Amino acid sequence: MPLAVVVRPHGVHGELLVKLHNPDSDLLFGAERLVLRSERGEQEIRAISARPGQKGMALLCLQGCTSRDEAETLRSAEVCLPRSALPDLAEDEYYLCDLVGLKAVGRDGLEVGEVEEVLVYPASNALRIRAARGICELPLLEPYLVRVEPEAGRIVVAGVEDLNWEYPRDRERKSR
């Protein structure tokens, strides 16, 4: 599960400045093992320490990363927590990352599209829904999100006709 992204080295001893995807989460600060994802692939690594920084940032020390040059090679890497290390959820809870790939259906059961991405905004989170007619951002709020049914592979949505849809022809016109 993605927790943060490496922004840059911090200092000369290999510490990393990372931007937290969810500044309210403390999962990074208790993690012993992390997974770094980059264009070079995935690498599991031991976390030495993690401490809060300013404005949604954190400072992270990783085993084997002891110089600024080594830290620089990790710039833009995604810092992830292995799924097995995530806390158990209550029956009515879900992880946002588990929504990606679910079908979005209306109250009538008709398919609207598929969840392509979770978007985290300051005011609320949203889901990017891709459908045959285009793409929209569905707020994770009532009345738009009716219920989440991960075991059924779907979310039930309402009010999608009220959302701004980006249509394929709009994208073609903008690129000209």
Side-chain angles (χ1 to χ4, degrees):
M1 172 177 184
L3 298 178
V5 63
V6 177
V7 176
R8 62 176 172 77
H10 180 77
V12 296
H13 299 292
E15 193 170 34
L16 302 166
L17 179 69
V18 300
K19 181 173 182 0
L20 299 168
H21 292 316
N22 178 0
D24 296 329
S25 173
D26 62 355
L27 287 174
L28 179 66
F29 306 117
E32 293 178 17
R33 306 284 307 164
L34 296 169
V35 174
L36 294 180
R37 265 191 223 150
S38 68
E39 64 276 352
R40 296 185 311 256
E42 291 188 3
Q43 169 190 5
E44 188 168 325
I45 195 161
R46 183 172 167 263
I48 304 295
S49 68
R51 58 192 168 98
Q54 295 179 341
K55 298 180 183 177
M57 304 293 233
L59 297 167
L60 178 64
C61 289
L62 301 173
Q63 184 176 32
C65 186
T66 58
S67 73
R68 185 172 186 87
D69 290 341
E70 289 171 335
E72 184 64 46
T73 67
L74 300 175
R75 188 184 288 261
S76 300
E78 196 166 37
V79 180
C80 305
L81 191 63
R83 183 68 186 220
S84 60
L86 295 175
D88 292 332
L89 296 171
E91 190 173 313
D92 61 338
E93 293 181 326
Y94 52 88
Y95 288 110
L96 290 177
C97 63
D98 291 338
L99 301 180
V100 176
L102 296 183
K103 298 292 180 200
V105 299
R107 290 179 196 249
D108 56 7
L110 294 176
E111 187 174 325
V112 173
E114 184 175 315
V115 178
E116 183 176 76
E117 182 180 3
V118 176
L119 304 164
V120 179
Y121 294 122
S124 70
N125 297 330
L127 300 176
R128 184 184 312 271
I129 306 287
R130 179 176 294 280
R133 69 185 202 183
I135 298 170
C136 75
E137 291 184 9
L138 181 100
L140 280 174
L141 302 168
E142 291 181 348
Y144 303 105
L145 182 66
V146 176
R147 77 183 158 273
V148 176
E149 300 174 347
E151 65 286 341
R154 67 184 192 172
I155 60 170
V156 180
V157 300
V160 293
E161 59 280 348
D162 299 334
L163 300 173
N164 291 326
W165 284 83
E166 181 181 319
Y167 299 100
R169 276 185 247 134
D170 292 344
R171 284 194 304 273
E172 289 172 15
R173 243 183 308 218
K174 289 177 186 174
S175 65
R176 289 183 194 168

